[in-house]
């Protein structure tokens, strides 16, 4: 049995994306050298939303790419055949400030895989990480530069960021999986 608790609705997500967009532009002294790279799957529409927010207040079209890290994961051999999605980058990563965008930050292993994949594509000036939710439980010394919401979780809990493109709704939910005890 799974219990679901709403953490963010559509308006909350819009505000978080707007705040992250402003923080990115402020920290990087403008948007001219930026390349937003969404991690497949839900990081891609989130990166698109951040780029649209930056455009709305800076008037600059920030390029947005998509990065698939399936073949860079350290648990590749223990998973079923991975579904590899396209990596598409509209510009070179060389000498760019790359903002990796992901939905949920957990152990840090996805971010490590993304860094490895990105470095195979060129030499960025800098790489930063933006996430909608940081749920803790880090296993690697990696931290997000921009966090929409910190949500400490138990190991048996799960965070889902739902986006219109894949889920027909915009929300962030906490799923609590209860264990059934045999009688």
């Amino acid at each position: 049995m799974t219990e679901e608790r709403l953490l963010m609705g559509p308006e909350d997500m819009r505000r978080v994306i707007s705040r992250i967009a402003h923080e990115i532009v402020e920290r990087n002294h403008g948007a001219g050298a930026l390349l937003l790279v969404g991690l497949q799957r839900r990081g891609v529409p989130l990166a698109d939303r951040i780029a649209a927010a930056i455009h709305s207040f800076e008037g600059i079209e920030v390029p947005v790419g998509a990065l698939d890290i399936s073949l860079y994961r350290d648990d590749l051999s223990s998973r079923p055949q991975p579904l590899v999605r396209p990596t598409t980058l509209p510009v070179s990563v060389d000498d760019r400030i790359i903002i990796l965008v992901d939905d949920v930050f957990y152990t840090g292993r996805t971010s490590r895989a993304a860094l490895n994949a990105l470095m195979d594509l060129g030499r960025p000036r800098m790489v930063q990480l933006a996430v909608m939710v940081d749920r803790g439980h880090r296993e690697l010394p990696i931290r997000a530069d921009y966090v929409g919401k910190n949500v400490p979780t138990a190991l048996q809990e799960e965070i889902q960021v739902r986006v219109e493109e894949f889920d027909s709704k915009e929300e962030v939910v906490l799923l609590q999986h209860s264990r059934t005890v045999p009688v």
Side-chain angles (χ1 to χ4, degrees):
M1 192 162 111
T2 301
E3 184 181 318
E4 184 173 298
R5 183 167 55 106
L6 182 68
L7 299 175
M8 281 192 249
E11 187 57 28
D12 301 314
M13 289 179 68
R14 188 199 60 73
R15 275 193 301 273
V16 162
I17 287 167
S18 178
R19 178 176 45 81
I20 288 173
H22 279 87
E23 289 175 7
I24 288 169
V25 170
E26 183 177 333
R27 180 178 294 179
N28 294 292
H29 308 288
L34 297 178
L35 169 60
L36 295 170
V37 178
L39 300 187
Q40 289 283 21
R41 191 152 170 223
R42 284 168 178 78
V44 176
L46 295 173
D48 286 333
R49 287 167 178 71
I50 292 169
I54 291 171
H55 183 261
S56 74
F57 62 83
E58 285 290 303
I60 294 174
E61 294 279 345
V62 177
V64 179
L67 184 65
D68 182 80
I69 57 137
S70 300
L71 300 177
Y72 287 85
R73 294 185 57 91
D74 61 7
D75 60 354
L76 187 59
S77 62
S78 65
R79 294 176 145 228
Q81 181 79 21
L83 174 59
V84 179
R85 293 185 170 84
T87 290
T88 55
L89 297 172
V91 296
S92 169
V93 301
D94 292 329
D95 202 37
R96 288 277 187 166
I97 298 171
I98 309 295
I99 311 295
L100 291 174
V101 181
D102 202 5
D103 56 351
V104 178
F105 193 39
Y106 183 34
T107 63
R109 293 183 181 282
T110 299
S111 300
R112 186 222 31 96
L115 288 169
N116 288 346
L118 195 60
M119 294 309 156
D120 278 353
L121 299 171
R123 185 171 165 81
R125 181 185 324 164
M126 179 185 306
V127 180
Q128 299 170 356
L129 176 62
V131 298
M132 280 296 287
V133 178
D134 183 343
R135 63 170 286 197
H137 303 286
R138 210 72 65 241
E139 295 175 5
L140 299 174
I142 298 173
R143 67 170 181 78
D145 299 279
Y146 312 99
V147 177
K149 186 175 185 85
N150 286 293
V151 181
T153 61
L155 290 174
Q156 69 273 16
E157 295 175 324
E158 178 185 351
I159 299 282
Q160 284 186 358
V161 174
R162 297 174 179 160
V163 293
E164 190 69 38
E165 293 85 343
F166 302 121
D167 308 298
S168 302
K169 59 176 98 174
E170 296 276 316
E171 63 185 12
V172 177
V173 296
L174 172 68
L175 301 175
Q176 293 181 303
H177 304 291
S178 56
R179 290 183 252 182
T180 55
V181 180
V183 187

